[in-house]
Amino acid sequence: MKNLVFATGNSHKLQEVQGLFKEGFALSCLKDVNITEEIPETADNLVDNALQKAWYVYKKCGIPCFADDTGLEVEALNGAPGVYSARYAGEQKDSRLNMLLLLKNMTGKENRNARFRTIIAYIDENAQEHIFEGEIRGKIIENMAGENGFGYDPIFVPEGYDKTFAQLSSETKNKISHRARAMEKFLSYINSK
Ligand code: IMP
């Protein structure tokens, strides 16, 4: 068994990611390694934030560890909310308020192109850093639709689909998502070791 800590307290994310791992991995989350405090995420870009989280956990528990950081980047808003996606509408990190603010800021914008981008930072057993990236392009629609998923899912329609992430099944989202694509790269790396 290879022990790995996923530096997340988000149960949605743990669920999504667990289904992507093959046998032979014992995956723990932060609670399992007794990290209950909020991990600082103070960088101004996704790579440094992911590295900050992964190092924090690695230094505390000494187990190989990966952390992800995701942003929704909207073309017409010059890449916002980006690294600030979780707290776009304020420190309360409320998905509904974040979406309402985004929709307001998109009023009258013809260019609805956006992408989700995920960075995974992995610190291996030799304390070496590795970075993996995944993205999915799509469009921001004008009104929320769908109940599944989390975050900005109800207003994001992935390229090649006519439904939002929140209307698609979790199986479909898990196949095509930014996080799934970054995870595929990460898994193919650790499986080849
Ligand atoms: P995190 O870095 O994964 O915590 O993501 C930061 C923020 O981006 C989250 O709080 C969500 O608002 C948004 N986000 C991340 N992943 C997704 C997703 O798969 N769907 C919708 N929103 C997401």
Side-chain angles (χ1 to χ4, degrees), residues 107-181:
T107 308
K109 305 270 190 210
E110 265 177 34
N111 178 357
R112 315 289 298 188
N113 294 337
R115 66 170 179 174
F116 277 110
R117 198 157 70 94
T118 293
I119 299 293
I120 293 177
Y122 172 52
I123 313 292
D124 68 19
E125 57 278 18
N126 301 315
Q128 296 297 307
E129 295 176 355
H130 308 266
I131 297 290
F132 306 89
E133 180 171 345
E135 70 160 31
I136 181 157
R137 295 178 175 277
K139 292 204 182 303
I140 302 298
I141 55 163
E142 292 191 358
N143 295 296
M144 298 175 204
E147 306 291 332
N148 301 332
F150 67 101
Y152 296 87
D153 281 347
I155 59 171
F156 182 83
V157 173
E159 216 166 61
Y161 291 79
D162 58 4
K163 289 179 175 161
T164 67
F165 261 165
Q167 291 171 310
L168 293 171
S169 66
S170 60
E171 289 75 26
T172 304
K173 182 184 170 191
N174 286 350
K175 275 191 202 132
I176 62 170
S177 81
H178 42 300
R179 200 161 17 260
R181 287 174 178 168

Side-chain angles (χ1 to χ4, degrees), residues 28-171:
S28 309
C29 68
L30 291 175
K31 253 195 331 218
D32 301 329
V33 293
N34 292 322
I35 297 179
T36 51
E37 67 275 22
E38 191 155 344
I39 300 177
E41 290 181 50
T42 52
D44 65 359
N45 65 82
L46 297 173
V47 172
D48 288 343
N49 258 356
L51 281 170
Q52 189 179 19
K53 282 189 275 189
W55 275 116
Y56 183 97
V57 175
Y58 184 85
K59 284 179 182 162
K60 257 198 133 162
C61 68
I63 302 172
C65 164
F66 65 100
D68 71 345
D69 202 33
T70 295
L72 173 64
E73 300 175 343
V74 180
E75 265 183 29
L77 303 176
N78 301 317
V83 72
Y84 305 108
S85 294
R87 57 198 75 208
Y88 191 42
E91 286 303 315
Q92 68 275 39
K93 297 188 184 172
D94 183 306
S95 295
R96 201 179 155 75
L97 294 180
N98 288 340
M99 284 190 284
L100 288 172
L101 178 61
L102 186 68
L103 291 177
K104 184 169 150 248
N105 292 341
M106 288 295 284
T107 308
K109 305 270 190 210
E110 265 177 34
N111 178 357
R112 315 289 298 188
N113 294 337
R115 66 170 179 174
F116 277 110
R117 198 157 70 94
T118 293
I119 299 293
I120 293 177
Y122 172 52
I123 313 292
D124 68 19
E125 57 278 18
N126 301 315
Q128 296 297 307
E129 295 176 355
H130 308 266
I131 297 290
F132 306 89
E133 180 171 345
E135 70 160 31
I136 181 157
R137 295 178 175 277
K139 292 204 182 303
I140 302 298
I141 55 163
E142 292 191 358
N143 295 296
M144 298 175 204
E147 306 291 332
N148 301 332
F150 67 101
Y152 296 87
D153 281 347
I155 59 171
F156 182 83
V157 173
E159 216 166 61
Y161 291 79
D162 58 4
K163 289 179 175 161
T164 67
F165 261 165
Q167 291 171 310
L168 293 171
S169 66
S170 60
E171 289 75 26

